[in-house]
Every structure is written in C-alpha cells, then in structure tokens.
Amino acid sequence: MLLRSLHFTGEEAPPFELKGSLFTLTVLHLFQLDRAAIERHLAEKIKQAPSFFNNTPVVIDLEGMTDSPEGLDFNGLYELLRAHGMVPVGIRNGTPMQQAAARLAGLPALPESRSANNGKKPERAEAALMRSRIVSHPIRSGQQIYAPEGDLIVLGAVSAGAEVIADGNIHVYGALRGRALAGVRGATETRIFCQSLEAELVSIAGRYRISEQIDPADRGKATQIHLMEDRLIIEHLSR
Amino acid sequence: MATIIVVTSGKGGVGKTTTSASFATGLAQRGYRTVVIDFDVGLRNLDLIMGCERRVVYDFVNVINNEANLNQALIRDKRVENLYILPASQTRDKEALTKEGVERVLNELKVGFDYIVCDSPAGIERGALMALYFADQALVVTNPEVSSVRDSDRILGILASKSLRAEQGDEPVKEHLVLARYAPERADRGDMLSVNDVLEILGIPLLGVIPESQTVLQSSNAGVPVILEDTSEAGAAYGDLVDRFLGKDLPHRFTSAQKKGFLQRLFGGS
C-alpha cells in the first residue's frame, strides 16, 4: 500500500492492479492419453449437459500419469478440449517432465493445494458440508442460484423460469416450478427433493426430464428424484 | 421523510398507470402530501390519465438535467389538494434517467412530501430499473393471466436483487400485490386465474383486487383517476386499496361473482 502510494503520487491513476483471488474451477482428471477415448467420453458428457461446456475453464490434473517415452502432447490435448467448449488454464500435479512439456504449450503448473491434505479425507467431507447454501427467499422467474460443491436448500418456491443448480443435492421446501439441476459436476448419487413437483425440468448428473416427460400422477406431489441405473426415478415422499 | 413506492409489473398494459394515478390520488385525498412521477420517458401517459396534459411545461428529464427546477416542473392537481404530478419527457428516451439524477430529484422531493409514487414503464430495462431502484415499497400490478403473473414474478426477483435496499443489504422492499382487471365470473368458469391461483404463484400479500370495469376506460379517456368515480366498483376497490395500504383491515370485495358472493358472505364462506 505504502509502496503503491509512493509510486503513483502525483501521477495519473495506475492502469491496473494485481490482486490474489480464489476461484472454483473444474478439474479434468486425466487417466490416460487415448485421444479417441477422451473425445468419445467428452461428446457423451456434453450431450448430457450442453450448457455446462460453454467456455468452461478447466485445470488438467495429471496425478498418476506416468512419463511415457513419447511424452504428453499438450498442444493436441489443448485443441481437443477447446473444440469441446472447455478452456484449459493450467495443469496440476504431473512429473517435472510433464510440467515442462505443459509449460511449452502455454499451460502453467498450478501449485498443488490438495496434496498437502493427502490422507486427511474427513476434513474434506466436513468442508463439503459447510458449503451447503441455504436460500430463505423464494426464487423468482429469471433468477439462477448455484451451490458449488454442496447442497442447495431453498426455503420457498422456485418459480417457473427460475433455475436452481447444485453440485450436490437440491431441497426445495415449497413448489418446484422452475428448473432444478443437481449433481451438475457428475455426482450421480445426488437427489432432488421438493414439496410439490411442478418443474419445467429436473436433472441429476446430466440425466434430465422435461415437464412433458413427468408423469401427471407425480405432478403437484411431494417427491424425491434420484438416479437408478442411469435412469431418473421420481418417487413420492411418504408422510 | 417520504416513503417511495414503485408501481410496477414487468408486463405492459396491466394497469400500472391507472393504479399509480388512483393510488396517489387516494393518498392525497386522505391528507398525505403526495407526488406521482412518470418514469415512462418517451411514452408519457400519466399526464393524460391525471388530466393535466395541457399544463405540462417542464418535465422529469428537464429537472434531472438541471434545465428546470422542481417547482417549475411539478404540476398541482386541480381536483385534489396535496397532489402533484411530475410528468415524463416525451421527446427523450430512458437513457436520460441517470441514477445520480433520479436520486437527486427523489431526495429533493423527500423533503416536502409524505409519499412519492413512481409509475414504472413496462419491461425490465433502464426505465423500470430506475423506477424501482430507490423504492421502499412496491405495488406489483398483475392481471389474472399466466404471462402477466410470470412477468410480475420476474419483477419481484429484480426488486429482491437489484434495488438499492437489496444492494445495501437493508430490509427488503415491501411488496404488495394488486390484482387488476379481475372478472370473478370468468375466474369461476376457469377462463382466468383466480385470486388464490395468483397468490399461490407469487406468494406476496394481496393489497387489492380491482374488478374489470368499463369505468376504468371511460375515466382514463376523460383524464379522471378512477378512484374519484367512487360509485363505480373499480373506484371503490381503489379506495379500499389505499385504506388497506394505510393500515386499515378491510375485507376484499369484488373477488367473487355477484350472486355467489352474497351467499358466500351469508354462510360465512371465504
């Protein structure tokens, strides 16, 4: 602060400022470098949640990838991800050789934050629990509420034209008339609960059903929605 | 210190200006110093409904741009004491409404008035945002029809997120529902949403139900706020609405079809 004021005293305002900030980023954990397999898998994911892959920044995690004689083709991987709506911003983990190759492709190695935590799983579970987001007002048409890395709990109605999204479960203590997307980062065990199912769309981990595909017998009922063998199941909540 | 009330809806043609005119007139009739501002810059109508279109010299935008002072622009109503109109400009567009300008004008008005009624334009763009930004309370005008209800829902979301009160984390804008152009017989037949349907979707307190009425059209054309036609149903309904706003506990009238309403009241039905 002092330095800055010394530097710019009597001069015009600085054109920029550097600040540290925290972001939630999607991590693409790479297990193997089979281009065709990656492409196939990506196409499938995108089909499930097209809007999610819209210039989404991703970090490529190389944990467990061994050095191969030919090295990793980061340029090729970069192009492939870009073509599918993802923007790689850096890599994580990896051997020194992989990190050097990534740097050449313009992908910096991000400092590892999690490895220090290795073997301390309970702490992570607790952190996830802390991230539940509770919204105590109704969610109106045109509003979008997202709970990253946790559950979303809404104490009111979700109006038609509103969207509630969570990496975890979604609970709506009111009528669900808008769209609800749980487990948007692929957590298939997540569920949606609501007091009155009148939704425009419900989705779990990319599997979705639109209003038309919801059985009229389920409409207006207190329900839970979950995945069973890749199919969305709507169940009435018994009292 | 004056209370700022926005009359808004999202959708056009649902009765915002009619409601603004009658609401402001009603407050003034009951002795409160009231000013009603037309935020619909470029599509000015409030002056017509209030019957003062021939007396507009300066307007809201002139005051914002310091081309006139408030006293020059405010039009005193000839019928009701304590009532003033600040008309919109017809020749400018909504970009003329700057946050700083609107705030300055409202702050000046706050000193001399009890209530400032902001008649919002339709839509969710600049004019509508400026009309609601400084509001303490909101009358959300809705017709018993799905698109109107959805647009009102959208406006309620904007009130809860984009108003000054929301931005500063103050007590939220107090919301009131005004259900206009209601025809009980048609609601009974299922042609229209019923009062309860609308309340269930929007979930905010009902301030008044204004019945569909020929008188509204006639008085609009004559430049008389319909609340002054107190023998008409719509006029009486606006009268009740103002009393309720001021804290009177009145039952809602004109919400059920004539005959049935009588029987229901006799037998204690709701």
Side-chain angles (χ1 to χ4, degrees):
Chain A
M1 200 57 206
L2 182 68
L3 196 74
R4 213 183 82 192
S5 48
L6 279 176
H7 251 275
F8 293 102
T9 305
E11 288 173 28
E12 56 185 305
F16 64 82
E17 186 180 32
L18 286 172
K19 272 180 157 177
S21 193
L22 285 171
F23 297 94
T24 304
L25 288 173
T26 307
V27 174
L28 186 139
H29 200 151
L30 205 60
F31 300 126
Q32 48 165 320
L33 204 72
D34 177 351
R35 252 193 95 112
I38 295 175
E39 195 154 9
R40 211 166 43 240
H41 203 66
L42 267 178
E44 199 182 308
K45 287 260 180 240
I46 288 163
K47 215 168 71 192
Q48 288 162 9
S51 58
F52 190 71
F53 296 96
N54 183 12
N55 286 324
T56 309
V58 292
V59 175
I60 303 163
D61 194 339
L62 299 173
E63 193 176 10
M65 291 283 286
T66 48
D67 279 329
S68 49
E70 67 272 24
L72 288 173
D73 172 17
F74 281 104
N75 283 319
L77 184 60
Y78 186 88
E79 297 302 321
L80 180 64
L81 294 180
R82 278 311 299 253
H84 287 86
M86 280 180 272
V87 186
V89 293
I91 62 152
R92 185 163 81 169
N93 294 317
T95 63
M97 189 176 143
Q98 289 165 347
Q99 294 189 354
R103 209 161 33 243
L104 281 178
L107 292 170
L110 301 181
E112 179 47 46
S113 55
R114 204 186 56 174
S115 58
N117 256 342
N118 265 351
K120 288 196 208 161
K121 285 275 154 81
E123 213 173 86
R124 276 185 55 76
E126 201 173 69
L129 198 68
M130 298 284 286
R131 286 206 188 88
S132 285
R133 182 168 176 189
I134 301 180
V135 181
S136 52
H137 55 78
I139 301 179
R140 303 290 185 180
S141 186
Q143 288 183 316
Q144 192 184 52
I145 305 281
Y146 175 41
E149 296 185 39
D151 291 358
L152 177 60
I153 298 157
V154 183
L155 305 173
V158 175
S159 290
E163 207 166 56
V164 286
I165 307 166
D167 289 351
N169 305 300
I170 296 176
H171 304 252
V172 180
Y173 295 97
L176 171 58
R177 301 193 175 98
R179 300 153 72 96
L181 298 92
V184 288
R185 296 198 184 210
T188 50
E189 74 281 9
T190 54
R191 297 185 177 207
I192 298 171
F193 305 85
C194 63
Q195 288 199 323
S196 175
L197 178 67
E198 300 163 39
E200 294 170 333
L201 178 146
V202 288
S203 160
I204 290 173
R207 276 61 145 192
Y208 67 87
R209 253 198 240 183
I210 55 173
S211 181
E212 270 186 0
Q213 299 162 330
I214 296 173
D215 188 339
D218 296 328
R219 289 193 77 80
K221 299 286 175 6
T223 50
Q224 65 153 326
I225 301 157
H226 60 98
L227 272 183
M228 196 187 278
E229 287 163 2
D230 232 31
R231 275 178 49 82
L232 273 185
I233 307 290
I234 299 177
E235 266 173 33
H236 295 193
L237 290 171
S238 50
R239 301 184 176 238
Chain B
M1 201 62 150
T3 303
I4 302 176
I5 303 140
V6 60
V7 179
T8 185
S9 71
K11 197 170 187 298
V14 296
K16 279 183 298 297
T17 301
T18 301
T19 299
S20 299
S22 282
F23 181 62
T25 304
L27 289 171
Q29 277 180 319
R30 286 154 182 77
Y32 297 97
R33 286 178 60 82
T34 306
V35 56
V36 53
I37 308 177
D38 190 349
F39 274 77
D40 207 349
V41 177
L43 292 167
R44 148 176 124 196
N45 284 148
L46 181 69
D47 54 326
L48 289 171
I49 309 286
M50 297 292 295
C52 65
E53 72 278 10
R54 293 171 186 218
R55 292 193 289 143
V56 176
V57 184
Y58 294 107
D59 57 55
F60 190 21
V61 174
N62 290 138
V63 182
I64 287 176
N65 293 343
N66 287 312
E67 294 152 359
N69 65 38
L70 260 179
N71 287 334
Q72 291 172 299
L74 282 176
I75 303 172
R76 215 173 76 103
D77 190 83
K78 283 185 170 170
R79 297 161 296 228
V80 181
E81 235 186 298
N82 300 320
L83 180 59
Y84 292 81
I85 299 112
L86 184 53
S89 168
Q90 184 69 345
T91 53
R92 310 290 182 85
D93 60 40
K94 311 277 196 280
E95 297 310 306
L97 298 172
T98 61
K99 200 179 268 185
E100 298 70 30
V102 172
E103 184 174 25
R104 184 175 54 79
V105 175
L106 289 176
N107 281 339
E108 273 183 58
L109 288 170
K110 271 184 181 175
V111 179
F113 287 94
D114 299 314
Y115 289 107
I116 302 172
V117 178
C118 302
D119 180 22
S120 171
I124 51 172
E125 285 79 31
R126 185 167 199 91
L129 290 180
M130 281 302 105
L132 67 80
Y133 187 73
F134 296 100
D136 301 308
Q137 304 200 32
L139 304 194
V140 176
V141 185
T142 301
N143 290 167
E145 178 244 333
V146 283
S147 60
S148 170
V149 173
R150 176 172 296 186
D151 291 359
S152 293
D153 193 57
R154 180 91 169 92
I155 274 290
L156 284 165
I158 290 171
L159 279 165
S161 61
K162 295 206 173 142
S163 61
L164 178 65
R165 280 173 173 271
E167 283 182 5
Q168 293 190 337
D170 295 343
E171 202 181 312
V173 177
K174 193 173 177 195
E175 299 151 343
H176 307 272
L177 180 66
V178 178
L179 188 56
R181 311 191 70 161
Y182 192 69
E185 317 78 46
R186 299 189 57 195
D188 287 354
R189 283 205 305 269
D191 296 351
M192 251 183 198
L193 296 179
S194 71
V195 178
N196 284 334
D197 291 339
V198 179
L199 284 175
E200 201 185 297
I201 298 172
L202 294 180
I204 60 169
L206 179 66
L207 185 65
V209 178
I210 311 301
E212 172 89 79
S213 158
Q214 287 296 319
T215 324
V216 175
L217 185 67
Q218 287 157 8
S219 60
S220 287
N221 286 333
V224 179
V226 71
I227 195 170
L228 295 175
E229 309 279 359
D230 48 13
T231 52
S232 73
E233 286 194 345
Y238 273 118
D240 285 3
L241 179 151
V242 174
D243 284 333
R244 253 180 240 121
F245 180 84
L246 294 170
K248 267 197 198 167
D249 188 15
L250 297 174
H252 287 283
R253 294 193 269 171
F254 318 115
T255 54
S256 42
Q258 278 310 312
K259 242 182 182 162
K260 209 172 159 196
F262 177 66
L263 283 173
Q264 273 179 344
R265 249 174 284 157
L266 258 185
F267 295 116
S270 56

